[in-house]
Amino acid sequence: MCGIVGYIGPRDATPIILQGLKRLEYRGYDSAGVAVLQNGHIEVRRDAGKLSRLTKLVEEKPLSGHIGIGHTRWATHGEPNARNAHPHIGMTGEVVVVHNGIVENFLELREELAAEGAEFHSDTDTETIVHLVERLMGAQQGLEQAAMQTFHRLKGHQSVVLLSSREPDKIVAARLGNAGGVVIGFGEDEMFVASDLPAILEHTREVVFLENGEMAIVTREGVRLQTLDGAPIERAPQTVPWDPVAAEKGEYRHFMQKEIHEQVRSLTDTIAGRVDFEAGRVYLPQLNLTPELARRIKRIVITACGTAYHAGLVGKYLIEHIARLPVEVDVASELRYRDPIIDEDTVLLAISQSGETADTLAAMAEGRTRGATLWAVVNVIGSQAMRVADGYISMQTGPEIGVASTKAYTAPLVDLYMLAILLADLRGILDEQERRRLVAALRLVPDLAGQALEREPEVEAAARSLLETKHCLYLGRGINMPTAYEGALKLKEISYIHAEGYPAGEMKHGPIALIDRDMPVVVIATQDRWYEKMLSQIEQVKSRGGPVVAVATEGDEMIASLADHVLWVPETPWMLSPVVNVIPLQMLAYHIAALLGLDVDQPRNLAKSVTVE
Ligand code: AGP
């Protein structure tokens, strides 16, 4: 999770920026840097590693001035090292930029710029931004115009903040999509820019948030907001609460809603530094997976609880389909009581956001006793599950505060997809073309998730229609059967409405007896190999008077004619569809619970990490 801090005003920018970055460092990063306009020139200090190294660098080579920007980076393109750390400065030394997210079309931009003589000094996608702005300013465009035209060229979800020594009285910022926010803070004759409120809360509580597709021109006197086409935007500053917890929610009412919307960023970050899109390869170094081990493994037993268990069910489909390895998935609280068949040719793969769930840790201990290799997919760095495992994959979503897990469900789905590719590759059963195809699909995921998130208003409307319901059935098939389970868990744990996820094919073996007008059915019916069967499922429910809420592929007129509410999602490669299809179900549960006025972030009887058996 990258962090951005900017300052313009009468004080020295350097300590303000460094302190702001420090307030964001819990989000996780692997390098940091700061740029300040000093005596008319842009000075940059940046390094891999923690902020303490950057602070030392600044002590050794001080820089000071009244305008500057800083950044903590989680590598997406290019190794986490000094040359790839932000801020990035161009060839003229007159423009400097920091950036969150991914420039999806950076390769074509890089080729275009290099053909015109641009010299690149990093492996990052970010550097294309500064060269684009420089090229336009070279053509006598002002900073605002050059930035605006540059923003129009960038594909994907990002936040961009930049400044130029040629126009030393302003900072330009933009929010392009959902790769995290941009907040502008109002001070006394000074202004602040940040990716997250905690970075500037000690200086001001008067802020405005940028929306998707907006840019800000920040001077000491204030800020001018406009669309990317230059149309002015009027937005009064809002006063945020002092309470850092409340401030951390930023523009959202609850952490759960914020974390649902953070999924473009968390999916970007869980892919970050692990995929070489040019080579079509995946790297999971912390797993310690050798070709020998990959070939020796006879089966994988995935074990987890709750939402993590549902992620494991999707993992079974992915690993068996791609790597042709037998996988079984077991609820952690059951595994150790069934005398499981686990030996030294078994991998026991635990999935746990907290890495501290007692049942999951106990299952890992059972696996260890029986000689298995232990792997863990975890979110909390340094957690017990991570420490006892022989190898791990970190979800890299940043802290998940809401008890109902959202971004820590979608990130492991992508991690398991990458694991399946790596296993297949090392076991020699994946030809290069298929490997490249599977890897290329990863690049789409953050944007597809962003498209699903943009449908929130329609999901909220569907939520309003379900406020009176007492029961709800969720049906899914194939790789989206676990999506039905997860959607039902989301609803029941935060709205206290009874909800049950079921394999759609099982309806005729019992649950169909439940269907009447008081039993709404949520159906995952996106266009995949199971689509036709899901259509008939919907017709069976409708013919018995059951209301239907369908998750469907955008433009599907057939579903639109059948369902009472449609939760649209973009067309998605089927193996990654559980990542996107669950998002409307997360939002559906959230809005029902929020509209019922319930404690969404801390539902009754639940804990974020169940450390007791
Ligand atoms: C999911 O929304 C719940 N909070 C719960 O089921 C959770 O997934 C489960 O307790 C496992 O937690 P873990 O991922 O931290 O091990």
Side-chain angles (χ1 to χ4, degrees), residues 382-572:
S383 59
Q384 180 69 1
M386 176 180 275
R387 285 198 303 273
V388 303
D390 300 309
Y392 68 89
I393 304 173
S394 65
M395 298 178 189
Q396 298 181 162
T397 75
E400 184 175 69
I401 313 295
V403 165
S405 196
T406 50
K407 61 181 183 173
Y409 174 69
T410 49
L413 299 186
V414 172
D415 298 334
L416 291 163
Y417 179 85
M418 294 191 285
L419 171 61
I421 294 169
L422 189 59
L423 279 167
D425 198 18
L426 292 175
R427 291 166 66 84
I429 63 164
L430 195 58
D431 69 44
E432 178 172 356
Q433 186 183 1
E434 177 61 2
R435 194 194 72 233
R436 286 180 173 277
R437 188 184 69 79
L438 292 172
V439 169
L442 280 168
R443 200 203 283 271
L444 308 171
V445 171
D447 188 56
L448 292 171
Q451 291 179 46
L453 288 166
E454 283 163 10
R455 295 284 187 166
E456 183 166 30
E458 297 154 25
V459 179
E460 186 175 357
R464 290 185 187 282
S465 73
L466 296 173
L467 293 183
E468 305 303 320
T469 190
K470 298 288 177 272
H471 304 277
C472 207
L473 202 52
Y474 284 68
L475 300 179
R477 214 174 183 118
I479 201 166
N480 280 294
M481 178 192 70
T483 309
Y485 291 3
E486 176 58 14
L489 175 60
K490 287 285 99 41
L491 182 65
K492 74 179 94 172
E493 70 175 325
I494 62 173
S495 72
Y496 317 144
I497 294 169
H498 172 243
E500 203 172 354
Y502 232 92
E506 279 293 286
M507 267 284 280
K508 51 192 176 296
H509 301 289
I512 199 161
L514 291 171
I515 304 302
D516 60 22
R517 64 189 179 81
D518 297 324
M519 175 59 87
V521 180
V522 178
V523 185
I524 295 100
T526 43
Q527 288 171 1
D528 54 26
R529 63 184 68 178
W530 298 282
Y531 175 71
E532 295 305 328
K533 294 212 182 302
M534 295 310 292
L535 271 188
S536 67
Q537 206 72 65
I538 292 173
E539 283 154 352
Q540 286 175 43
V541 172
K542 292 299 291 175
S543 63
R544 289 163 179 78
V548 170
V549 177
V551 176
T553 305
E554 281 167 3
D556 187 333
E557 291 308 320
M558 174 63 83
I559 295 277
S561 67
L562 286 173
D564 299 276
H565 288 275
V566 182
L567 310 182
W568 296 110
V569 291
E571 187 169 0
T572 303

Side-chain angles (χ1 to χ4, degrees), residues 19 46 70 72 120 129 149 237 249 263 294 307 388 483 526 534 560 595 603:
Q19 181 57 21
R46 59 190 189 174
T72 50
F120 285 84
I129 300 172
Q149 291 178 42
K249 291 177 200 166
Q263 289 179 107
T307 285
V388 303
T483 309
T526 43
M534 295 310 292
L595 288 165

Side-chain angles (χ1 to χ4, degrees), residues 171-174 184 210 214-218 223-226:
I171 292 174
V172 175
I184 312 290
L210 289 194
E214 296 181 350
M215 64 185 278
I217 297 90
V218 184
V223 61
R224 189 159 32 87
L225 303 180
Q226 60 184 53

Side-chain angles (χ1 to χ4, degrees), residues 305-308 351-355 357 360 403-405 489-490 493 608 610:
C305 303
T307 285
I351 303 173
S352 176
Q353 189 284 130
S354 63
T357 299
T360 306
V403 165
S405 196
L489 175 60
K490 287 285 99 41
E493 70 175 325
K608 182 58 187 170
V610 183

Side-chain angles (χ1 to χ4, degrees), residues 25 61 76 78 92 97 100 137 166 168 276 289 324 337 369 401 412 425 494 507 516 562 605:
E25 68 175 335
K61 295 175 67 183
T76 56
T92 64
V97 71
N100 274 351
M137 290 187 79
R166 281 171 50 179
D276 180 336
L289 173 57
R324 308 311 294 156
Y337 299 118
T369 308
I401 313 295
D425 198 18
I494 62 173
M507 267 284 280
D516 60 22
L562 286 173
N605 311 332

Side-chain angles (χ1 to χ4, degrees), residues 247-313:
E248 178 55 30
K249 291 177 200 166
E251 62 216 272
Y252 299 102
R253 279 184 59 198
H254 299 99
F255 278 110
M256 182 180 178
Q257 187 183 29
K258 178 173 183 280
E259 287 152 8
I260 288 172
H261 282 271
E262 272 182 349
Q263 289 179 107
V264 173
R265 216 161 144 181
S266 53
L267 289 165
T268 300
D269 290 344
T270 207
I271 293 167
R274 292 169 166 169
V275 179
D276 180 336
F277 287 106
E278 304 340 298
R281 286 200 178 281
V282 166
Y283 304 96
L284 296 170
Q286 297 106 339
L287 201 55
N288 301 321
L289 173 57
T290 61
E292 179 276 329
L293 176 59
R295 283 193 292 273
R296 178 161 59 81
I297 299 169
K298 296 281 185 300
R299 55 203 274 276
I300 295 180
V301 175
I302 298 178
T303 191
C305 303
T307 285
Y309 168 71
H310 299 151
L313 292 172

